[in-house]
Amino acid sequence: MVRSIIWVCATQSSTFTFRCTKMQWRHRCDRGVVGQRAKQQVDMTHRFRRDLTKSDAEAKMSKQKLQQRMKEQFQKAMGGMPSWAESKMCLFSKTKDDSDNEDEDGDDLMRKTGNFVGSSDSLPKGIIRMKKCLHANNDRPSEDRLTTVQFHPSAQVVMTAGLDQSISLFQVDGKTNPKIQSIHLEKFPVHKAQFSVDGDQVVATSFRNKLFYIYDMMEGKVIPVHTVRGLREQRVKEFEVSPDGESLLLTGTSGYLHVLTMKTKEVVNSMKINGNIAGVAFSHDGSKVFTNSEEGEVYIWDMRSSKCLNRFTDDGCVSGTSMAASKNGQYLACGSAAGVVNVYSQEECMRQNNPKPLKAIMNLVTSATFLRFNPTSEILAIASRADDEAARLVHIPSFTVFSNFPMFQRRTIYRAHRMDFSPNSGFFSLANNKGHAPLFRLLHYKNF
């Protein structure tokens, strides 16, 4: 049976859906095949494609023209080509004589959404100044549990994905958060979706199979990856994108970690721990990988050589559940099934066989299933998907919880599955079991 993909894109006036089989998305390098594909005609009278036509005369359209029409609709939904996509196109279209203008455009974008920390005083502890905004996905709530929320690395955009088999993009303004577009992956409930480092692609995995998808936003293509050379796992579920963007770190069974190149989609290295892997985190420069096991052991690996640099037991941990590393290279957080989150010095973890945590955070009473540091390493978000409202924001380096989050007496968080901060910490969002992505404006940070 051939699995199909449904593309959904919304504009202010209409919604259109385009259905095609997985085989039609498969990359073809042969020029003869591309030529034949361009000549093939698509029936535009179908109800899924009717909104793409401009007149009744366009009863049939070539696939190449149809793809171009879909690009036009995407740009229309964005109010023109989005700045993050336009900046990439400039790399190929501008000449050297235009380089000064290009730098000015890039500076203007970076002032708004770039990966840098705006000048500000240190974040005070106690109470965090924040404002509850409209849900990030209010324009298209999920029909089932959300499993992913992530901010785009350079644009004012947030992505959600979940068990309703869809991935959606929204423009973040804190007021209306309009939907940009959605794609529907038929019979593919999304376990995890993550942007590539440059923000041009989205990698999505499911629960029970080896297949995963790469959504190329620049080309408007959904590319299925059926097999990975050198990978002998029965399913691809958990993964992390390396900070340099060149590889994926796939979590396998029986303690295996596999390094997959993004370029060739093949396994180039594997590492193994004792027991099953509970959490994985890259160091800020991508040179090291931290893993913890369900048995409570922590391993530190060298990415280049795949050698284990150090190994120790997480203090007081019986069963590990999650892990996060700060972007300033100072802290390593390890979550456990008891709800305790130990925060270590990364430097001490490298030097000692039995490091002691800087702080044991005990504000969760159920399993600590997700951890995330903000980009300035001043906040550690911790959550448990086992209970409603079990999410906390921890001030760093005092390691005290902000007393006003969750900030309302009525339930607003529900069960948080994933959390993320915008590139400059101006916004914070989480994905919950109600299909919503509650959005908060962190007023201490001036930039997105």
Side-chain angles (χ1 to χ4, degrees):
M1 181 176 179
V2 178
R3 183 173 295 167
S4 63
I5 301 167
I6 304 174
W7 171 312
V8 183
C9 182
T11 67
Q12 292 180 348
S13 59
S14 63
T15 302
F16 67 89
T17 308
F18 176 62
R19 183 188 294 266
C20 67
T21 65
K22 285 167 40 180
M23 294 298 293
Q24 289 172 318
W25 283 111
R26 184 170 295 173
H27 178 65
R28 295 179 171 93
C29 296
D30 185 81
R31 292 184 177 180
V33 174
V34 173
Q36 292 177 3
R37 188 180 177 189
K39 294 178 183 179
Q40 291 179 357
Q41 299 292 304
V42 178
D43 180 14
M44 299 304 295
T45 61
H46 192 282
R47 63 189 179 92
F48 287 136
R49 296 186 282 272
R50 205 172 295 151
D51 287 342
L52 285 166
T53 61
K54 294 182 178 179
S55 67
D56 294 338
E58 293 183 322
K60 290 187 179 295
M61 187 183 296
S62 69
K63 290 186 177 181
Q64 188 174 2
K65 186 176 180 181
L66 177 58
Q67 184 174 329
Q68 182 60 35
R69 186 66 56 83
M70 293 169 75
K71 285 184 181 180
E72 292 172 1
Q73 286 281 21
F74 173 74
Q75 292 180 21
K76 183 179 178 182
M78 288 288 291
M81 181 177 288
S83 55
W84 53 268
E86 192 172 21
S87 63
K88 285 292 179 184
M89 296 299 292
C90 286
L91 293 176
F92 298 96
S93 62
K94 287 194 174 185
T95 63
K96 293 181 179 179
D97 295 334
D98 295 327
S99 60
D100 292 339
N101 292 332
E102 185 179 22
D103 290 340
E104 292 175 4
D105 293 340
D107 290 342
D108 183 64
L109 174 65
M110 291 295 285
R111 275 195 293 272
K112 297 176 182 177
T113 60
N115 276 325
F116 74 104
V117 179
S119 60
S120 63
D121 297 329
S122 297
L123 179 69
K125 64 179 181 179
I127 294 177
I128 185 168
R129 294 173 54 238
M130 66 192 316
K131 176 185 176 182
K132 177 74 170 65
C133 303
L134 197 67
H135 290 333
N137 66 337
N138 185 73
D139 219 12
R140 188 195 178 279
S142 174
E143 297 174 358
D144 207 329
R145 169 165 59 91
L146 277 185
T147 56
T148 290
V149 63
Q150 187 188 10
F151 290 94
H152 192 277
S154 60
Q156 208 155 321
V157 172
V158 68
M159 169 182 63
T160 64
L163 301 188
D164 67 347
Q165 307 170 45
S166 68
I167 299 173
S168 300
L169 301 175
F170 303 88
Q171 204 156 11
V172 181
D173 59 13
K175 298 177 181 178
T176 60
N177 304 324
K179 183 180 110 175
I180 299 170
Q181 67 176 159
S182 294
I183 59 170
H184 184 85
L185 306 173
E186 193 165 321
K187 296 182 180 179
F188 195 83
V190 179
H191 169 72
K192 183 178 181 179
Q194 189 172 347
F195 285 114
S196 58
V197 172
D198 58 13
D200 289 348
Q201 297 180 332
V202 174
V203 181
T205 60
S206 191
F207 290 85
R208 299 182 181 88
N209 50 46
K210 202 173 183 178
L211 169 72
F212 65 95
Y213 286 98
I214 295 177
Y215 171 36
D216 190 324
M217 295 186 292
M218 297 294 292
E219 295 295 327
K221 292 181 179 179
V222 180
I223 306 165
V225 180
H226 297 279
T227 57
V228 174
R229 186 177 178 182
L231 184 66
R232 298 180 180 178
E233 300 288 344
Q234 294 299 312
R235 66 179 183 180
V236 174
K237 185 178 176 183
E238 295 290 347
F239 69 94
E240 293 292 334
V241 179
S242 65
D244 62 10
E246 295 183 359
S247 58
L248 286 180
L249 195 61
L250 304 179
T251 300
T253 55
S254 303
Y256 277 99
L257 275 173
H258 305 288
V259 181
L260 166 70
T261 62
M262 288 289 285
K263 189 174 183 179
T264 62
K265 309 297 186 297
E266 63 180 347
V267 173
V268 294
N269 241 330
S270 294
M271 297 164 274
K272 188 181 186 307
I273 71 170
N274 294 332
N276 293 315
I277 295 173
V280 177
F282 276 100
S283 62
H284 67 287
D285 59 1
S287 63
K288 295 183 287 292
V289 174
F290 304 97
T291 63
N292 63 344
S293 71
E294 292 180 357
E295 288 71 27
E297 287 190 308
V298 178
Y299 295 75
I300 305 175
W301 302 90
D302 179 76
M303 265 297 280
R304 179 169 292 183
S305 65
S306 297
K307 291 182 179 179
C308 184
L309 302 176
N310 199 10
R311 170 183 170 185
F312 62 91
T313 300
D314 185 13
D315 189 63
C317 178
V318 176
S319 177
T321 54
S322 54
M323 176 169 276
S326 65
K327 292 189 177 181
N328 66 358
Q330 283 188 263
Y331 305 109
L332 178 68
C334 302
S336 69
V340 178
V341 178
N342 285 331
V343 182
Y344 294 89
S345 161
Q346 287 190 26
E347 184 179 353
E348 292 300 306
C349 291
M350 289 294 300
R351 293 194 299 110
Q352 298 186 17
N353 293 326
N354 188 29
K356 296 299 179 183
L358 300 171
K359 180 70 174 181
I361 301 167
M362 301 183 181
N363 295 88
L364 298 177
V365 296
T366 51
S367 179
T369 52
F370 192 80
L371 312 174
R372 174 79 74 192
F373 284 96
N374 80 318
T376 67
S377 304
E378 295 176 300
I379 303 173
L380 171 61
I382 64 176
S384 173
R385 60 171 175 260
D387 200 5
D388 288 343
E389 308 303 296
R392 301 290 184 269
L393 296 179
V394 182
H395 176 265
I396 305 293
S398 72
F399 304 110
T400 57
V401 170
F402 290 105
S403 61
N404 61 324
F405 183 85
M407 59 190 300
F408 301 108
Q409 292 183 351
R410 63 187 181 90
R411 292 181 180 180
T412 55
I413 304 297
Y414 292 96
R415 301 194 177 195
H417 287 258
R418 292 189 191 273
M419 302 175 288
D420 198 27
F421 295 89
S422 60
N424 289 301
S425 303
F427 286 90
F428 168 70
S429 186
L430 51 91
N432 70 21
N433 61 319
K434 299 295 183 180
H436 297 138
L439 180 68
F440 301 88
R441 173 74 176 94
L442 304 185
L443 301 174
H444 175 78
Y445 301 99
K446 305 304 179 186
N447 299 311
F448 176 77

